[in-house]
Every structure is written in structure tokens, then in C-alpha cells.
Amino acid sequence: MGEKTLTRMDLSEAVFREVGLSRNESAQLVESVLLHMSDALVRGETVKISSFGTFSVREKAARIGRNPKTGEEVPIHPRRVLTFRPSHLMKDRVAAGNKGA
Amino acid sequence: MIRSELVQKIADENPHLYHRDVERIVSTIFEEIINAMARGDRVELRGFGAFSVKQRDARVGRNPRTGESVQVEEKHVPFFKTGKLLRDRLNGKA
């Protein structure tokens, strides 16, 4: 088990199966969901999906980095990064499903 | 943004769909991602990010309150890596 990689296509296939819309419309809906979530995050909002998890944007301060190969110092500019905190339900199901794997 | 606001936005854009169907569509998408990870699969959504499962090895932990050693079993945890396009958009580069 495991190792397989799912894509948008698999998600739209699930929507097609579950809800009975056309494949084309199912694909568009998957895209809209991802787009609305991305747009909210870009606006700096936290996206909280109950029983799935929370996406939040964190501001990282500027710091001096180092090229590990050359040892050269390089400035790292302040930036925004996205973090995902899985819900308890997700953690429990992922732990249970992969137990002994 | 919370789940119900996401559902509302999709419903507003798709007036021909029943609200309960939009809820099912949104739930199906998130449910499918969890199901995949529960099987140990990855879900790669180009431009948005990838969900995968990481293995945490067994270790000897410590109860922080009592200082007592406890054996922590190997376990699998969900992991998300932000996609390049979204990472760039967050920083005004796309």
C-alpha cells in the first residue's frame, strides 16, 4: 500500500462519482476550491477547514543564511510562508491507516 | 476563511447547484485527500501544494511533568508542502 500519487484528476473523479456532475464541471469545482483557498491565504487570511486542518500564513524575519557548499553568507529576505496544521481527525486517520506499514 | 465561507463562495459562483450539493462537493474533496493519506498515498496539487505521509520512528520520550521515560511507538503523520506558485504568490511574485 501507499506510494501512489493522486492529482486533481482523482479529486474531480471523486466529485464526479459522489455528486454526479459532469467530469468537466467536477474538475472546475475542484479548481475553484483550491483557488478560493489560495486567494484567501494570499490576502493573509487563515483558512480553517473543520475536520481537515488549518492553513496559516506566517511572516519570517530577514536573516543571514549561509551557502552550505561554499560557506558564503547570503541575506535571506523577509518572507511569508504557509504552514498546515492537520486536524485531530486527519492525524488519527493517517496514523490508524498506516499502522504497521 | 472557514469551511462554511468556502462553501458559500462556491455556491455563489454556481447558482444552478443546490447548497447541500456544494457542501457535498467540498466535503468530498477534503475527504478524498484524507482517504489517500490514510492509505499512505500522496496527493499532489500543482500550484497549491502536496500532502504526504511522514514516518516518525519509535523513540524513548519523556513525560514532561514527571520526567518519567516512556516508549513512543513509530507513527505516521500528515505533512503538507506548499507549491511553488502559491509560495511565490504569498510573496507577491506571481
Side-chain angles (χ1 to χ4, degrees), chain A residues 35-84:
Chain A
L35 197 63
H36 282 301
M37 292 171 68
S38 304
D39 287 350
L41 293 164
V42 170
R43 289 194 299 270
E45 288 178 35
T46 291
V47 174
K48 195 170 177 174
I49 307 296
S50 54
S51 71
F52 186 79
T54 304
F55 297 88
S56 50
V57 179
R58 285 179 46 201
E59 306 276 343
K60 301 273 248 181
R63 62 186 172 89
I64 304 293
R66 206 177 272 279
N67 180 330
K69 211 171 287 181
T70 64
E72 195 187 353
E73 288 192 345
V74 278
I76 296 179
H77 300 293
R79 63 200 203 284
R80 295 203 298 171
V81 297
L82 179 57
T83 57
F84 174 67

Side-chain angles (χ1 to χ4, degrees), chain B residues 1-69:
Chain B
M1 172 187 272
I2 60 172
R3 185 195 276 260
S4 58
E5 291 164 339
L6 176 60
V7 168
Q8 191 57 54
K9 277 185 192 283
I10 305 289
D12 290 346
E13 285 174 352
N14 296 276
H16 62 292
L17 297 178
Y18 287 114
H19 202 276
R20 63 160 190 276
D21 282 340
V22 177
E23 273 171 9
R24 272 183 68 202
I25 290 160
V26 170
S27 301
T28 298
I29 293 171
F30 292 121
E31 188 65 18
E32 197 65 14
I33 297 174
I34 298 181
N35 287 341
M37 283 193 287
R39 292 191 302 265
D41 290 341
R42 266 170 70 78
V43 182
E44 199 173 299
L45 304 167
R46 283 285 160 89
F48 183 79
F51 295 92
S52 59
V53 180
K54 288 207 168 177
Q55 185 183 323
R56 296 269 179 266
D57 289 334
R59 63 188 169 88
V60 179
R62 217 169 259 285
N63 180 331
R65 199 171 310 182
T66 62
E68 199 184 348
S69 295

